[in-house]
Amino acid sequence: SQKIEQNSEALNIQEGKTATLTCNYTNYSPAYLQWYRQDPGRGPVFLLLIRENEKEKRKERLKVTFDTTLKQSLFHITASQPADSATYLCAPNNAGNMLTFGGGTRLMVKP
Amino acid sequence: DGGITQSPKYLFRKEGQNVTLSCEQNLNHDAMYWYRQDPGQGLRLIYYSQIVNDFQKGDIAEGYSVSREKKESFPLTVTSAQKNPTAFYLCATTGTGGPSNQPQHFGDGTRLSIL
């Protein structure tokens, strides 16, 4: 079955710096990959969707890349702010065309 | 406001008891999903429904049951057969199209614990 790996350790960065989160997947080549933000005690909120034929997608301070050769997606937040502190989940689709969610990486942006 | 409402926010289950989690949506979305989230783990799919009166098992359906009698509602029952029910339960919807090529919209979850 598909396996999703996100860094389980928290990522601590200084305000204003660029945060880069990694999502690696195995055993399947997804056609789509989504990123979500989740705050404590809340449901995930959709951020970006990238397709296999797209190398990069941007939305305001967010950028996602999708490398189907490396089987990896990178999620970047530029000019990070304390309000960006949250857990970020990656979710590629699986062979059944459902989303498979990673365990998430917690981002802490310090002022 | 359009959205997904899950209730209750917190729920406690006694031994041998079935409990039902509510999920209501006013987004007019066809598809609805139930996920379970354990600490530090990804969301795991329990059941999903793409149309009224039809639903399919997800990856971890054992010990759970659902119904889809109305487009707006997709309740999840956690039965006594589910031996480890303590988790955060999330309901989601998608509109017309596939489950993975468009955003999923989530409610704010129900946290279930055993008494």
Side-chain angles (χ1 to χ4, degrees):
Chain A
S1 61
Q2 191 178 46
K3 186 176 178 182
I4 315 300
E5 291 182 349
Q6 294 187 258
N7 194 339
S8 58
E9 293 182 11
L11 177 63
N12 294 291
I13 65 168
Q14 206 67 34
E15 182 176 8
K17 301 294 185 183
T18 296
T20 298
L21 286 66
T22 303
C23 174
N24 295 301
Y25 56 89
T26 58
N27 297 334
Y28 184 68
S29 296
Y32 311 98
L33 191 145
Q34 301 188 25
W35 282 89
Y36 289 79
R37 168 184 173 140
Q38 187 175 24
D39 291 287
R42 305 294 300 273
V45 174
F46 171 79
L47 297 174
L48 283 165
L49 181 153
I50 189 165
R51 294 173 169 77
E52 61 179 338
N53 61 349
E54 298 174 317
K55 296 297 183 187
E56 181 180 297
K57 200 92 173 266
R58 291 175 185 262
K59 179 183 177 183
E60 298 172 352
R61 294 185 295 113
L62 309 181
K63 185 178 84 171
V64 170
T65 63
F66 194 6
D67 189 326
T68 55
T69 301
L70 290 178
K71 293 187 182 295
Q72 180 181 80
S73 175
L74 298 179
F75 177 80
H76 307 271
I77 305 176
T78 58
S80 59
Q81 305 165 1
D84 295 326
S85 298
T87 296
Y88 291 86
L89 310 174
C90 91
N93 71 287
N94 59 26
N97 202 29
M98 305 304 288
L99 290 183
T100 304
F101 286 83
T105 297
R106 186 178 174 204
L107 173 66
M108 298 287 290
V109 181
K110 299 181 179 179
Chain B
D1 284 350
I4 300 165
T5 302
Q6 290 190 242
S7 62
K9 192 167 180 65
Y10 300 96
L11 187 59
F12 298 91
R13 195 191 88 170
K14 295 180 181 178
E15 287 285 339
Q17 185 181 45
N18 294 352
V19 292
T20 297
L21 285 60
S22 171
C23 178
E24 302 281 331
Q25 57 110 350
N26 61 5
L27 300 170
N28 199 33
H29 283 174
D30 289 314
M32 298 186 74
Y33 313 82
W34 274 106
Y35 293 94
R36 169 181 173 141
Q37 186 176 33
D38 294 281
Q41 296 190 32
L43 281 64
R44 291 183 289 168
L45 184 64
I46 305 172
Y47 268 99
Y48 64 100
S49 168
Q50 295 179 309
I51 197 169
V52 174
N53 292 323
D54 188 43
F55 49 82
Q56 288 77 40
K57 293 181 179 179
D59 300 319
I60 55 166
E62 186 174 350
Y64 301 97
S65 66
V66 293
S67 63
R68 186 87 187 275
E69 298 176 0
K70 298 187 300 181
K71 187 175 185 177
E72 303 79 23
S73 179
F74 191 39
L76 173 73
T77 296
V78 184
T79 74
S80 57
Q82 173 49 247
K83 299 306 179 188
N84 183 24
T86 298
F88 190 46
Y89 291 86
L90 289 158
C91 177
T93 69
T94 53
T96 303
S100 61
N101 63 351
Q102 58 180 308
Q104 293 201 3
H105 302 260
F106 285 86
D108 272 340
T110 292
R111 191 167 298 280
L112 176 62
S113 303
I114 295 182
L115 278 178

